[in-house]
């Protein structure tokens, strides 16, 4: 450990009270001392490379290659994913995997290649290993997608975990995406990206890195093809990216590069090749299907720090109802708890919380509770006493409880990497359910501390169970919140088995989608924060987390009416649609911004309510296929370079393209349309892509386009489901899927498939089935037929 967190703590003293400032410095010194005593000094190190290939042993789906100073295991699975691990590293155990590793593909065989190397040929990919340990991933046609140079390790002379570096080359035209939730993006420019889940300690904007969710998951999109690469190590690390240059140096290309530097953990890697849809299908089969949110969670949520009392909650809800604004959930922040104690409602300000929850439920509104990771370290606190009896809290290398300064004051932290502790924590949610809560948002779970913004509450030497293997916080830090989400999800599934749990977490890691989603955290109030919101949602979706959204309006400060409205309009098309304001920030109720903003916000809210059947369908499809609701515009055509560079619009499923307004004062904006015919959903005007078009963007709306032939499930005026069909172009057909689900249970509704086509002066819509085509069981409304 270095002194970075201590320096940050000293800087923080000026922004807090004297007493808390003193506790901040004391906590930083405690962590530094604990690491000095609990971690072995690295001392001298020996560098190592694989050496020369000496032998090869074929095995199922691949085989083992032995070099002079290392060993490489390579396997192609039945899903088409490629795994390789150095020095005996296998795919298990892993926090990323959902269950066991996929079976090897019996058709993939290790065989000699030229120049003393070996190769494994599979249906979708060829992997070539050179005699010095370089690994190339190629298309079946032989085009190189990725070349990993021989890795390098630095091993402590006295023993201990080795640092390692893996440098890779990609095509000169390639673009990088992913790496978790990044405020700069979704395309990742040249620079360093740290892999260490972090609370920045302030509202963030593009350029701030790292943030709450970092993942060693990288997308590379080039003319040659698309692939995802995942280095399965939970340790601290850094990715250095540099895009390539075509025609650099006498007409030769300069390859793009990615260099991964890890402080420890196994050097093991997964690669998936194919179309974006196929890649994420394989990714979901490996890391787990996304949890399915209950239908109400796809509506509008309202949150605020400082509701203060049951009366204030009722006042806000009445404000929505009196103005005819749809509302589906109210979130209570940490201030509804007594002295910020987890699982402990303030008995004075929320004396009849179950009654309030029942009243809201009768109006179709659910209550959602915040749950922090920290437990107040005070005898007499029910959770602290229970956790102490269960030996649930993290200890340092000397066996003492690790303490940190968080919202309740001096706090301790459950070891969520221990199955016994997860069961204990999950059962604590019985109190939340008894209070009437239907959903839960996990906060401050990087874990963070007011004494260590930008670093970690827990010393790196702190001990963790790690599923019985044992280890320290260097390995456990990035999966701490993932394991907390698992504890909450599994506890709720046991306590309320007839309801789908609704959990979303500020922090997490690969596989967090199995337990729920996430939100932006403390995004800065400003136009830069608005852009960061979209970047986060797109990046997380590509990493397998389809359910996410920002704090509409930003966490801090007071947005002006235009900014709030543009953020609100964007939020209406994102999976998690939540207004929220942090302590001291301006209010976020739509009527607080004047009558014009209120009317435009009403339009956005009603459109979200109308599109709920479509969002429900997208949620079901995400669970079944891994495809995110919100997709980059290159999703269907990654070979189109103009689409790869488009960062200010997105696809919502297959049917809609949304072009939010991200700059002040804009009343028109350019939109990059993919191939095909697209209709402006307000004017009905048709555009032919691929093209850049200039679209009207008055304050009343943002441009939204529907794909020709699209069949969208929407909510009709009577509240029932109907099909909105956008006329296909002449000579072409269109399609759409409907997965009806209006509940909270575990039923698996069937997927309904519809096709649209022109027949003379009519548009015909039919449901496809085993018995042939049939009339749709819902009303059908044709749009766009009058255009060309």
């Amino acid at each position: 450990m270095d002194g970075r967190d201590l320096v940050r703590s000293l800087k923080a003293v000026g922004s807090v009270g004297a007493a808390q400032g003193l506790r901040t410095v004391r906590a930083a010194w405690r962590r530094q001392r604990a690491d000095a005593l609990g971690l072995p000094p690295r001392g001298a190190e020996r560098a190592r490379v694989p050496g020369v290939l000496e032998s090869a042993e074929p095995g199922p789906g691949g085989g083992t290659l032995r070099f002079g100073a290392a060993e490489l295991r390579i396997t192609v699975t039945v899903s088409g994913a490629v795994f390789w691990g150095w020095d005996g590293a296998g795919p298990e155990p892993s926090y990323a995997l959902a269950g066991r590793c996929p079976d090897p593909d019996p058709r993939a065989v290790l065989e000699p290649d030229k120049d003393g190397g070996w190769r494994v040929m599979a249906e979708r990919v060829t992997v070539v290993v050179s005699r010095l340990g370089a690994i190339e991933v190629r298309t079946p046609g032989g085009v190189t997608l990725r070349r990993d140079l021989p890795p390098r390790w630095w091993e402590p002379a006295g023993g201990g975990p080795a640092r390692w570096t893996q440098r890779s080359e990609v095509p000169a035209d390639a673009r990088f995406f992913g790496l978790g939730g990044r405020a700069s993006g979704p395309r990742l420019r040249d620079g360093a990206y740290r892999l260490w889940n972090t609370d920045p300690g302030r509202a963030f904007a593009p350029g701030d890195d790292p943030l709450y969710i970092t993942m060693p998951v990288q997308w590379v999109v080039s003319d040659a093809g698309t692939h995802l690469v995942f280095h399965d190590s939970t340790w601290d690390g850094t990715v250095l990216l540099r895009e390539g240059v075509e025609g650099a140096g006498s007409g030769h290309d300069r390859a793009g590069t990615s260099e991964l530097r890890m402080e420890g953990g196994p050097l093991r890697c997964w690669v998936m090749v194919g179309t974006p849809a196929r890649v994420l299908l394989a990714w979901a089969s490996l890391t787990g299907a996304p949890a399915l949110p209950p239908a109400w969670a796809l509506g509008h949520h309202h949150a605020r720090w400082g509701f203060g009392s049951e009366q204030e909650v009722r006042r806000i809800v009445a404000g929505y109802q009196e103005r005819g604004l749809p509302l589906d959930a109210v979130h209570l922040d940490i201030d509804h708890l007594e002295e910020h104690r987890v699982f402990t409602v303030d008995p004075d300000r929320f004396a009849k919380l179950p009654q309030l929850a029942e009243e809201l439920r009768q109006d179709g509104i659910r209550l959602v509770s915040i749950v922090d990771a920290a437990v107040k370290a005070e005898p007499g606190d029910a959770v602290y006493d229970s956790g102490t009896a269960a030996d649930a809290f993290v200890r340092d290398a000397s066996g003492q409880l690790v303490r940190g300064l968080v919202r309740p004051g001096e706090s301790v932290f459950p070891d969520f990497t221990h199955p016994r502790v997860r069961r204990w924590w999950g059962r604590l949610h019985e109190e939340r359910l008894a209070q009437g809560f239907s959903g839960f948002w996990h906060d401050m779970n990087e874990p963070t501390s007011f004494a260590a913004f930008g670093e970690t509450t827990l010393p790196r030497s702190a001990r963790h169970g790690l599923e019985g293997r044992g280890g320290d916080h260097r390995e456990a830090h990035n999966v701490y919140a993932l394991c907390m989400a698992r504890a909450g999800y599994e506890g709720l599934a046991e306590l309320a088995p007839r309801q789908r749990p609704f959990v979303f977490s500020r922090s997490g890691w690969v596989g967090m989608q199995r337990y729920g989603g996430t939100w932006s955290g403390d995004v800065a109030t400003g136009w830069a924060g608005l852009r960061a919101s979209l970047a986060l949602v797109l990046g997380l979706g590509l990493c397998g987390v389809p359910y996410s959204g920002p704090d509409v309006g930003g966490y801090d400060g007071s947005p002006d009416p235009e900014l709030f409205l543009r953020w609100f309009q964007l939020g209406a098309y994102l999976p998690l649609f939540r207004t929220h304001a942090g302590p001291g920030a301006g209010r976020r109720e739509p009527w607080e911004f004047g009558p014009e903003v209120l009317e435009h916000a009403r339009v956005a809210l009603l459109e979200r309510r109308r599109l709920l059947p479509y969002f429900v369908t997208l949620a079901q499809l995400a669970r079944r296929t891994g495809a995110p609701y919100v997709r980059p515009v290159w999703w269907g055509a990654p070979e189109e370079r103009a689409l790869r560079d488009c960062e200010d619009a997105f696809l919502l499923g297959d049917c809609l393209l949304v072009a939010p307004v991200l700059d002040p004062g804009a009343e028109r904006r350019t939109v990059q349309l993919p191939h095909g015919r697209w209709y402006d959903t307000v004017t009905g005007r048709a555009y032919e892509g691929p093209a850049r078009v200039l679209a009207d963007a008055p304050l009343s709306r943002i441009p939204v386009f529907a794909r020709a032939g699209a069949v969208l499930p929407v909510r009709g005026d009577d509240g029932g489901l109907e099909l909105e069909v956008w006329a296909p172009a002449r000579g072409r057909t269109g399609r759409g899927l409907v997965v009806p689900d209006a509940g909270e249970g575990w039923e698996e509704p069937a997927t309904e498939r519809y096709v649209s086509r022109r027949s003379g002066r009519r548009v015909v819509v039919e449901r496809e089935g085993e018995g042939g085509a049939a009339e749709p069981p819902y009303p059908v409304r044709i749009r766009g037929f009058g255009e060309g």
Side-chain angles (χ1 to χ4, degrees):
M1 175 182 178
D2 57 28
R4 286 177 296 182
D5 60 336
L6 181 59
V7 171
R8 290 187 178 96
S9 301
L10 291 171
K11 289 181 179 179
V13 171
S15 62
V16 300
Q20 181 169 320
L22 183 60
R23 290 196 298 269
T24 295
V25 175
R26 186 184 301 126
W29 276 112
R30 270 204 312 251
R31 284 193 314 279
Q32 191 174 44
R33 178 174 174 78
D35 285 344
L37 296 174
L39 291 177
R42 291 203 68 89
E45 294 180 319
R46 294 187 297 264
R48 173 169 63 94
V49 294
V52 179
L53 180 61
E54 296 179 346
S55 65
E57 179 182 340
T64 301
L65 301 169
R66 295 181 177 86
F67 296 80
E71 182 177 287
L72 174 66
R73 170 184 174 182
I74 186 167
T75 305
V76 179
T77 69
V78 290
S79 65
V82 179
F83 171 83
W84 65 75
W86 287 94
D87 289 350
E92 302 175 33
S94 170
Y95 278 105
L97 268 59
R100 301 302 303 272
C101 174
D103 292 333
D105 185 348
R107 298 169 298 174
V109 179
L110 180 68
E111 59 186 27
D113 194 42
K114 61 182 180 180
D115 299 327
W118 288 72
R119 67 182 181 183
V120 180
M121 299 185 68
E123 179 183 6
R124 302 171 193 164
V125 65
T126 297
V127 183
V128 179
V129 183
S130 78
R131 59 189 295 271
L132 295 178
I135 303 174
E136 285 192 14
V137 177
R138 300 175 182 171
T139 68
V143 179
T144 299
L145 298 176
R146 180 181 198 87
R147 183 172 188 266
D148 283 9
L149 303 179
R152 183 180 296 269
W153 295 265
W154 286 267
E155 300 167 327
R163 298 184 296 118
W164 53 266
T165 295
Q166 176 68 73
R167 190 172 186 273
S168 309
E169 296 176 346
V170 298
D173 66 287
R175 297 289 184 260
F176 297 105
F177 301 85
L179 296 181
R182 303 287 168 169
S184 299
R187 172 183 162 193
L188 301 176
R189 262 63 174 193
D190 294 1
Y193 299 85
R194 192 177 176 198
L195 299 170
W196 187 254
N197 291 350
T198 303
D199 175 8
R202 64 186 186 284
F204 67 87
D208 289 324
D209 186 79
L211 296 177
Y212 314 99
I213 302 174
T214 65
M215 296 182 185
V217 180
Q218 189 181 122
W219 278 74
V220 182
V221 184
S222 67
D223 290 353
T226 301
H227 71 273
L228 176 152
V229 58
F230 165 48
H231 288 89
D232 193 354
S233 171
T234 66
W235 286 61
D236 193 356
T238 301
V239 181
L240 292 93
L241 299 179
R242 188 180 72 164
E243 291 183 348
V245 178
E246 295 182 281
S250 302
H252 296 288
D253 290 348
R254 188 192 75 196
T257 60
S258 170
E259 185 173 320
L260 177 59
R261 302 173 180 175
M262 298 298 293
E263 294 300 311
L267 203 175
R268 55 184 180 179
C269 178
W270 288 91
V271 176
M272 291 151 212
V273 175
T275 65
R278 177 168 285 183
V279 166
L280 274 184
L281 179 62
W283 182 241
S285 69
L286 183 72
T287 63
L292 185 65
W296 61 262
L298 295 168
H300 179 234
H301 303 236
H302 187 82
R304 195 179 81 224
W305 177 297
F307 273 125
S309 66
E310 297 171 5
Q311 291 71 30
E312 177 66 3
V313 173
R314 287 191 173 92
R315 188 185 74 81
I316 296 300
V317 171
Y320 273 90
Q321 294 172 335
E322 291 166 2
R323 294 168 176 85
L325 304 176
L327 180 64
D328 297 274
V330 172
H331 294 212
L332 298 188
D333 211 322
I334 196 72
D335 56 294
H336 86 281
L337 299 173
E338 184 179 23
E339 298 179 348
H340 299 170
R341 298 170 186 259
V342 67
F343 299 118
T344 309
V345 171
D346 188 307
D348 297 323
R349 294 180 294 118
F350 291 89
K352 298 180 179 180
L353 193 53
Q355 179 180 329
L356 172 64
E358 181 56 31
E359 292 174 7
L360 296 180
R361 182 182 285 269
Q362 290 177 4
D363 289 331
I365 302 169
R366 303 314 201 276
L367 269 186
V368 176
S369 169
I370 193 171
V371 178
D372 275 7
V375 175
K376 187 174 181 64
E378 182 179 278
D381 179 274
V383 179
Y384 176 77
D385 291 345
S386 172
T388 300
D391 190 22
F393 302 122
V394 175
R395 297 178 180 271
D396 63 20
S398 66
Q400 300 297 309
L401 288 180
V402 173
R403 297 170 184 262
L405 186 63
V406 198
R407 285 165 171 162
E410 192 163 76
S411 303
V412 291
F413 304 87
D415 181 9
F416 296 115
T417 72
H418 198 301
R420 171 177 51 79
V421 176
R422 289 198 294 269
R423 288 192 294 271
W424 163 77
W425 184 264
R427 288 193 292 268
L428 294 177
H429 286 75
E430 186 171 11
E431 180 272 344
R432 298 280 86 187
L433 294 174
Q435 295 290 344
F437 289 107
S438 300
F440 306 90
W441 51 302
H442 291 178
D443 203 359
M444 305 291 283
N445 59 344
E446 289 72 34
T448 195
S449 166
F450 298 150
F453 286 132
E455 265 298 319
T456 173
T457 296
L458 306 180
R460 296 184 178 227
S461 57
R463 305 301 299 172
H464 289 268
L466 290 168
E467 317 309 318
R469 294 180 289 109
D472 59 43
H473 196 65
R474 294 174 297 175
E475 182 178 358
H477 174 82
N478 280 336
V479 295
Y480 185 84
L482 169 74
C483 294
M484 180 184 177
R486 178 179 179 181
Y489 183 90
E490 293 179 346
L492 290 166
E494 181 178 339
L495 292 167
R498 296 184 179 181
Q499 297 179 6
R500 300 196 293 262
F502 177 58
V503 175
F504 64 106
S505 172
R506 188 170 78 171
S507 185
W509 200 66
V510 178
M512 65 181 293
Q513 75 278 357
R514 299 190 294 261
Y515 314 116
T518 184
W519 87 105
S520 63
D522 301 346
V523 63
T525 296
W527 292 92
L530 174 58
R531 283 187 174 271
S533 297
L534 179 56
L536 285 163
V537 174
L538 281 164
L540 287 164
L542 289 173
C543 292
V545 185
Y547 184 87
S548 68
D551 283 344
V552 168
Y555 179 75
D556 65 331
S558 299
D560 62 53
E562 182 190 8
L563 173 61
F564 174 79
L565 179 59
R566 293 309 196 186
W567 215 319
F568 198 87
Q569 290 167 334
L570 168 62
Y573 292 96
L574 299 180
L576 173 60
F577 180 20
R578 181 176 93 146
T579 51
H580 184 224
R587 302 177 72 96
R588 297 291 190 270
E589 292 80 38
W591 54 88
E592 295 289 342
F593 296 88
E596 183 181 14
V597 169
L598 173 61
E599 287 310 305
H600 297 331
R602 185 197 316 279
V603 171
L605 276 172
L606 292 176
E607 180 65 4
R608 174 59 173 242
R609 177 58 57 94
R610 193 181 75 90
L611 289 175
L612 272 180
Y614 186 50
F615 275 92
V616 166
T617 293
L618 293 178
Q620 289 278 359
L621 295 177
R623 178 165 181 79
R624 300 176 189 190
T625 69
Y629 315 27
V630 170
R631 308 165 186 177
V633 293
W634 50 259
W635 178 262
E639 69 280 0
E640 297 219 10
R641 298 190 178 190
L643 299 181
R644 295 205 293 262
D645 293 338
C646 177
E647 301 179 276
D648 59 358
F650 60 90
L651 298 174
L652 182 60
D654 285 331
C655 297
L656 298 178
L657 186 150
V658 181
V661 174
L662 304 176
D663 297 300
E667 295 185 350
R668 305 187 82 188
R669 59 149 296 176
T670 57
V671 181
Q672 182 70 50
L673 295 176
H675 178 78
R677 173 171 292 185
W678 295 86
Y679 295 97
D680 184 312
T681 57
V682 172
T683 67
R685 179 179 175 182
Y687 298 88
E688 294 294 334
R692 287 178 64 85
V693 301
L694 187 62
D696 290 334
L699 198 59
S700 59
R701 68 180 180 94
I702 58 176
V704 178
F705 298 84
R707 190 188 302 271
V711 181
L712 279 84
V714 298
R715 192 171 186 262
D717 294 337
D718 62 354
L721 194 150
E722 70 178 34
L723 301 181
E724 180 175 273
V725 181
W726 290 87
R730 287 190 175 90
R732 302 185 67 89
T733 60
R735 295 184 177 276
L737 302 175
V738 179
V739 186
D741 173 23
E744 303 178 11
W746 298 95
E747 296 82 7
E748 289 282 347
T751 300
E752 302 172 6
R753 303 177 183 276
Y754 294 89
V755 62
S756 64
R757 57 183 174 84
R758 288 199 184 220
S759 177
R761 301 179 62 85
R762 298 171 54 241
V763 172
V764 177
V765 182
E766 296 173 323
R767 179 177 177 177
E768 295 181 326
E770 295 181 359
E775 289 288 326
Y778 314 111
V780 175
R781 184 159 58 101
I782 306 298
R783 301 285 306 276
F785 189 67
E787 300 294 332

